[in-house]
Every structure is written in structure tokens, then in C-alpha cells.
Amino acid sequence: MCGIIGYSGSRNARTVVLDGLKTLEYRGYDSAGAAFSAEDITVFKTGGRVSDLEKITPNIVAHAGIGHTRWATHGAPSAKNAHPHLSFDGRFAVVHNGVITNCDELKLSLIRRGIRFVSDTDSEIIAHLLSLEYDGDMVSTIDKVSSLLRGATTFIALKKGDERVYMHRNGASLVVGKGDGECIVASDALAITPYTSDVAVLCDGETAIMNATDVKFFKNGKQLDKPFGKTDRTAPKDCSCHMRAEIDEIPSALLNAYAEISRSITPAVSDMVRNAKRTIFFGCGTAYHAGLYGKIIFERVGVPSNAVIASEIDDERFIDENCLCVFITQSGETADTLIALAECKARGARTLAITNVKESTVTFEADETVFIGAGAEIAVAATKSYVCQLLALYMLSQERTEKRMGKSEIQALANAAKVVSKENLYAPEYKDFNPFFIGKGIDNVTAKEGALKFKEITCKFADAYGAGELKHGSIALIDEKSVAYVVSTNEHDEERVRATVRELQSRGAYVFAVTNSNRLGANKTLMLPKIYDENLYPVLSVIPLQNLALTASLCLGLDPDKPRNLAKSVTVI
């Protein structure tokens, strides 16, 4: 959930660390801090955002530094709880991404040894343990400390009087880049690519030591020969609203995704899909909604399927060697999804990942991976990555048929998305109304995603309902202060949805329709362009709902890129 970065090199570490934290701020933004090493370790922290940290950090000259932008788990957002944390003797500074699950017992043990904690965090434990266990060899020290920790315990550390940067990965991503006279480590390659495209990805249990010219990797005390490869991750240009830019990028993202997905559907992937007797889709949040879409379209081509919230895998009983389990995660680092993946592998299932990040953990853990190629997505609320996930699932489902999407079809879909991306359902006169999102069948998936987007970035309650189910209880909520957003793209369902529209209107609701039909009788209708396969309408129908949430957020004076309490990459359970 947090963004962490470390630098050793010829540049001023202050500039690299702070610029990197700005890039990583989408991973957490309730507090921030940095530490720089020369003869001493100097720490600067704030309970605000990276821009606030920049104001309080002097133009210090140092060639090694670490930084952190936080999403709070232990302790309220504040300067004292911001990272980096110093050891009791000031010898070590640590930034940590994850949650130490045995923190209570470790903290009690340290207190009994006379250690005084100055924060409410679990992360401070790592700094104290490094100092207590230091034996003159940082590799063996890190191995000893990591053996005491349980949970997600990825960290980067500085040592007093030392311009090297030390790191250990367990449960959250770390990527190391090596440039000309400088090395940099971060939780996302986006913070590295301004300096170098040569990167290596640490795996769980690995330790690394880097200086200005080299990186050495270790596991269980033995040095590893880990190759560096090229990354194509590039940070987007600065803009006033990343979410706006990312919605506008959907047409081009779909074209890029089509090419990337086509390359990713290798013969091995195709065989997995063709031979699956049952398919289960796992995801969290928006990715779970993509899984719901996958369930529907896979069943339409004859594959019994289910969609499961990844954290609820314990209730999914029927996983075995006959199952294809598909794990959908934009970042490739979603902790609940990775736990589900490990469980499915243990039960003998074949595993396929769908992700946007090639250097991510899920690509190493799954049997096969399909990359969606949506490009970097900085806004917390997923937009272009969601529609590209849908496209990937659609193209995978076609491996069960004789029909495959061609270049002309994807170009037509992208053109339709360009038209729809200009549409917006927001009406200022309804800003204080209670929103309802409604759909039937595959359109109910879009309604769910629309409601989630609205909740995420407006901090107002919204929910989604099945068109036929509304009258079985939830219609009690409808009155003259209600506005309903009805999605309807299936001609077979049109009569039932039209009846729901009348029921809503008769109780005072104002109804907006997102549809390919002008026969629903809504108060206002947004007509979707005709496309060649109705299974692809969810790619289009969600876009005006994304625009609705964005506009409502802006009109409320909120920051849609960084909504309250949320972070982009959820690496804790």
C-alpha cells in the first residue's frame, strides 16, 4: 500500500528521492518522509503529502537516501508515524511496505529489553531489530531480522556513515534499477525509469545491497546471479487530473491492449482456456467486477464458471486440477489475490494471471500471464485498466470458439469508445440526490462498477441493484430525492428493464439510461454506438459512469486522483 524508494549515486539524493515519491504517491498519501545518509542520518517527516515534505526538506547534499509515502495501517497519519523510522541508537533508518503480523509480541519483547518506541507503527520494530542484531555483516543481519518477522515485511534501510542502500523483499514488490554511476530501488519501476530502463525484480526472501555502481543479490546468505532486463514502464506526464487523462486515453489503451493481449495469448495460454472444464475468476474491487464479466462471457461459450472475491477463497470449495483459476490484478501485487493464487496452486489448479505490470509478483507466481498493456495508471480509481481487463477476458473467451476479434473490430470498438468518452451523465441539479445504479445480467456488472467508482471518489454512498430484484425490497429507498442510472444493452432484457424504469419513475426517481435502445422511457437517454458483438457493450457503457463519478468528485471539491482512505496498490491484507 505504500511507496518506498532508495537511491545511491552521483546525483543529489534529495532530488531523486522526492521526485520518486511524487511518482509513487498513488500508492499512499496520508504522510511522507525521507532520510539521507552522509556522516549521520538526517530524517524529515510530515503528516501531509509529498509536496509538504518537499517544503520542509532543505537542499541537503547527500548521495544516498530513502523515502516513503504512506497508507496508514498501524497508527494514525501523522509526522511521528511517518517513515523513515530510526533505530534507538540512530544507526539505522528504515522504510517499510507491508504489515508485521506478529508486531505485538515483537514490540513487547523489545520494550522488555529497554527499547522506547516513538511511533505507533509496526515498522519501527525493523529499525530496532537491525541495530540489536547487527553483527558486522549486513546480509546475515537482515537474514536474522527477517526470520523474526511475519507478514508482509519488505523494507529498505540506510546505515549511519554508509552510502550503500540495503533492502529485503517479503510480500511487497521491489524493483532495482542500475544506471550510469547510480542505482535506485522502488516499489514500482515508474520511479526508476526516468534514470534507467535496466531493472531486476527481487523475489520474496531476497536481499540486496546497492551502491552507486553495483547491486549484489542474496538469498539465505548466498549470493545470487540475478540478470537485469529492460522495462517498458514509463511514468505519465504531469497533469492536473490523472483520472481525466486516463479516461481520455481509453480508446488508445484499447488498441494497445489488443496488441499486447494478442501477443500474450500464447499456445500454452490458449490450451489452458480450451481444456478448462471449469473456470474461476478471482479479483478485488474493480478487478472482481471484471471477474463477474468473465464468468458471464465464459459461460456463454460453454464453460461453467464462477467469480470470487479473492479474500473469500476459503468459501470456494470446488478447486482442483480440472479448474482454470484466473487472477485479475492491475498492479500484480494485490495481497489478497496473491494469497488466493497460492491456495489454488496448492489444490492443483492451473493458474492464469491478467495484469498491467510485467515486473509484478503475479507474473512470477502464475503458470501463465496475459498482459493488458493499458499503460501506467496513476489515479486510484481504475478506468482504462478496467476496460482493458474486460477486453482481455473477451479475447480469452474467444479461444473456445472459432471466431476471433480482428483489427477492424478493435478499431471500431476504440472509435466507439472515443465517442462515448465525451459523454457525461452528471447534472448539477441532482448533486444532492441519492444515486442508484441498476442493470440486468451483464449490465448489472457495469452498474456495480459504476457504483464503486462513485463511492470511491465522491465519498458518498451508492449501490447497485439488479433490475428485476429492485422491487423485492430496495425500492423502499426510492423517493423524489433519488436519481437512477440504468444500464441496458441487451435486447432480450429490454422489456424487464423498461418495467423497472416505470417503477422508479412512479416513486419519484429521475432516471438516466445508458443504452443502445431508445425505448426504455427514461427521463434522459445516452445512446451507445452500435458495435459488432453485444458482449463488448460493458467496455463502452462503463465509460459515462466513470465520467459521472469524476465530475461529481470535482464538483464536490475533492481530489479524484487521491480519494480518502484509498491507495492504488493494495499490498496488505
Side-chain angles (χ1 to χ4, degrees):
M1 302 287 280
C2 303
I4 56 178
I5 187 169
Y7 176 80
S8 179
S10 56
R11 302 176 199 257
N12 189 339
R14 177 191 185 276
T15 301
V16 178
V17 168
L18 291 178
D19 286 350
L21 289 180
K22 291 174 188 175
T23 300
L24 296 171
E25 196 168 22
Y26 72 93
R27 299 175 77 98
Y29 37 84
D30 56 36
S31 54
F36 305 97
S37 178
E39 291 184 6
D40 291 311
I41 296 176
T42 311
V43 177
F44 305 93
K45 304 199 289 186
T46 177
R49 293 188 176 181
V50 176
S51 58
D52 300 308
L53 176 65
E54 191 171 32
K55 292 173 185 175
I56 66 169
T57 305
N59 193 22
I60 188 171
V61 177
H63 295 290
I66 59 177
H68 187 279
T69 180
R70 182 173 184 247
W71 185 86
T73 54
H74 288 69
S78 65
K80 78 168 185 176
N81 290 328
H83 303 211
H85 294 290
L86 282 171
S87 60
F88 61 91
D89 54 6
R91 239 188 340 175
F92 293 91
V94 167
V95 294
H96 166 223
N97 187 5
V99 171
I100 303 172
T101 56
N102 61 331
C103 66
D104 290 341
E105 60 190 78
L106 289 174
K107 191 169 186 178
L108 181 59
S109 173
L110 290 169
I111 291 171
R112 286 172 175 166
R113 296 174 71 173
I115 303 298
R116 186 176 69 88
F117 281 77
V118 297
S119 77
D120 302 318
T121 71
D122 57 339
S123 307
E124 188 182 343
I125 290 169
I126 301 173
H128 298 318
L129 286 175
L130 285 174
S131 192
L132 288 170
E133 301 295 339
Y134 182 60
D135 60 6
D137 182 337
M138 280 300 294
V139 174
S140 65
T141 299
I142 290 172
D143 281 348
K144 178 64 182 297
V145 170
S146 63
S147 72
L148 300 173
L149 305 171
R150 294 201 300 269
T153 53
T154 293
F155 66 86
I156 305 173
L158 287 179
K159 182 174 173 290
K160 182 179 178 180
D162 189 344
E163 290 190 345
R164 288 172 290 183
V165 175
Y166 304 91
M167 67 205 74
H168 180 78
R169 173 186 165 148
N170 183 43
S173 59
L174 272 186
V175 183
V176 184
K178 184 164 66 173
D180 184 12
E182 60 188 347
C183 292
I184 185 169
V185 58
S187 47
D188 190 326
L190 288 177
I192 296 174
T193 50
Y195 308 97
T196 179
S197 61
D198 294 322
V199 301
V201 180
L202 272 74
C203 298
D204 275 356
E206 293 182 354
T207 296
I209 300 174
M210 74 180 194
N211 58 25
T213 58
D214 196 19
V215 187
K216 293 181 178 178
F217 301 93
F218 304 85
K219 187 168 186 179
N220 298 326
K222 296 180 179 179
Q223 190 166 345
L224 302 173
D225 183 17
K226 184 178 281 287
F228 280 74
K230 296 290 185 181
T231 179
D232 58 4
R233 292 277 279 170
T234 54
K237 296 178 181 178
D238 288 337
C239 60
S240 59
C241 180
H242 285 290
M243 186 176 176
R244 173 74 275 152
E246 287 157 11
I247 294 173
D248 291 342
E249 289 165 5
I250 285 175
S252 60
L254 286 169
L255 294 174
N256 293 337
Y258 173 79
E260 188 68 68
I261 295 162
S262 297
R263 285 190 291 269
S264 294
I265 301 179
T266 61
V269 171
S270 181
D271 286 345
M272 290 174 76
V273 174
R274 286 175 177 269
N275 296 328
K277 293 182 170 54
R278 185 168 183 261
T279 304
I280 307 174
F281 299 90
F282 293 89
C284 303
T286 288
Y288 168 64
H289 293 157
L292 289 172
Y293 170 82
K295 165 186 161 52
I296 292 171
I297 61 168
F298 265 61
E299 290 194 332
R300 287 181 178 179
V301 294
V303 187
S305 301
N306 195 17
V308 178
I309 297 171
S311 59
E312 299 298 319
I313 186 173
D314 291 343
D315 290 329
E316 184 59 34
R317 303 286 181 237
F318 302 104
I319 299 173
D320 57 25
E321 65 277 5
N322 294 314
C323 286
L324 171 61
C325 292
V326 181
F327 302 87
I328 308 166
T329 161
Q330 188 280 143
S331 68
E333 303 293 345
T334 310
D336 287 327
T337 304
L338 293 173
I339 291 170
L341 191 158
E343 176 65 22
C344 292
K345 291 182 74 172
R347 298 195 207 176
R350 300 300 306 278
T351 58
L352 174 65
I354 297 176
T355 188
N356 196 32
V357 182
K358 291 183 178 180
E359 301 86 10
S360 62
T361 301
V362 79
T363 66
F364 296 100
E365 300 297 331
D367 295 326
E368 301 289 342
T369 304
V370 169
F371 299 107
I372 61 172
E377 191 174 63
I378 300 302
V380 166
T383 52
K384 63 178 181 175
S385 66
Y386 175 69
V387 299
C388 292
Q389 288 167 353
L390 300 188
L391 179 63
L393 291 162
Y394 174 82
M395 291 173 67
L396 284 168
S397 74
Q398 289 190 313
E399 295 301 305
R400 299 286 295 220
T401 71
E402 296 300 320
K403 179 182 178 183
R404 285 190 176 92
M405 190 177 198
K407 291 183 179 180
S408 60
E409 286 89 357
I410 186 60
Q411 185 63 61
L413 182 66
N415 292 343
K418 188 172 184 178
V419 172
V420 174
S421 65
K422 302 181 187 304
E423 301 288 353
N424 198 327
L425 299 172
Y426 184 75
E429 60 268 31
Y430 302 112
K431 66 181 179 67
D432 295 321
F433 278 35
N434 301 314
F436 296 81
F437 294 81
I438 295 162
K440 189 175 188 304
I442 204 168
D443 293 322
N444 188 235
V445 177
T446 304
K448 289 178 183 293
E449 177 61 13
L452 178 61
K453 284 292 153 286
F454 197 89
K455 285 183 281 193
E456 283 179 318
I457 62 173
T458 68
C459 300
K460 295 171 78 73
F461 184 78
D463 210 349
Y465 303 92
E469 182 66 11
L470 187 70
K471 59 182 174 289
H472 296 289
S474 302
I475 203 166
L477 300 171
I478 302 296
D479 59 18
E480 295 81 4
K481 295 288 287 182
S482 302
V483 57
Y485 301 94
V486 176
V487 184
S488 179
T489 62
N490 188 336
E491 184 178 353
H492 175 76
D493 294 330
E494 185 178 299
E495 185 175 330
R496 294 290 300 273
V497 176
R498 186 163 58 243
T500 298
V501 169
R502 287 197 297 266
E503 291 163 1
L504 289 163
Q505 290 170 329
S506 68
R507 287 153 179 84
Y510 189 94
V511 179
F512 290 90
V514 180
T515 181
N516 54 4
S517 167
N518 60 6
R519 298 183 295 273
L520 293 182
N523 298 87
K524 185 175 181 179
T525 297
L526 190 163
M527 288 290 294
L528 298 170
K530 297 292 184 183
I531 55 175
Y532 86 105
D533 188 340
E534 69 173 23
N535 287 317
L536 284 167
Y537 268 117
V539 172
L540 300 183
S541 57
V542 76
I543 300 173
L545 301 185
Q546 294 171 346
N547 273 328
L548 165 69
L550 171 61
T551 308
S553 177
L554 293 171
C555 289
L556 289 166
L558 302 174
D559 182 351
D561 289 343
K562 299 179 176 68
R564 185 177 70 199
N565 299 335
L566 298 179
K568 183 72 171 175
S569 181
V570 186
T571 59
V572 298
I573 59 174

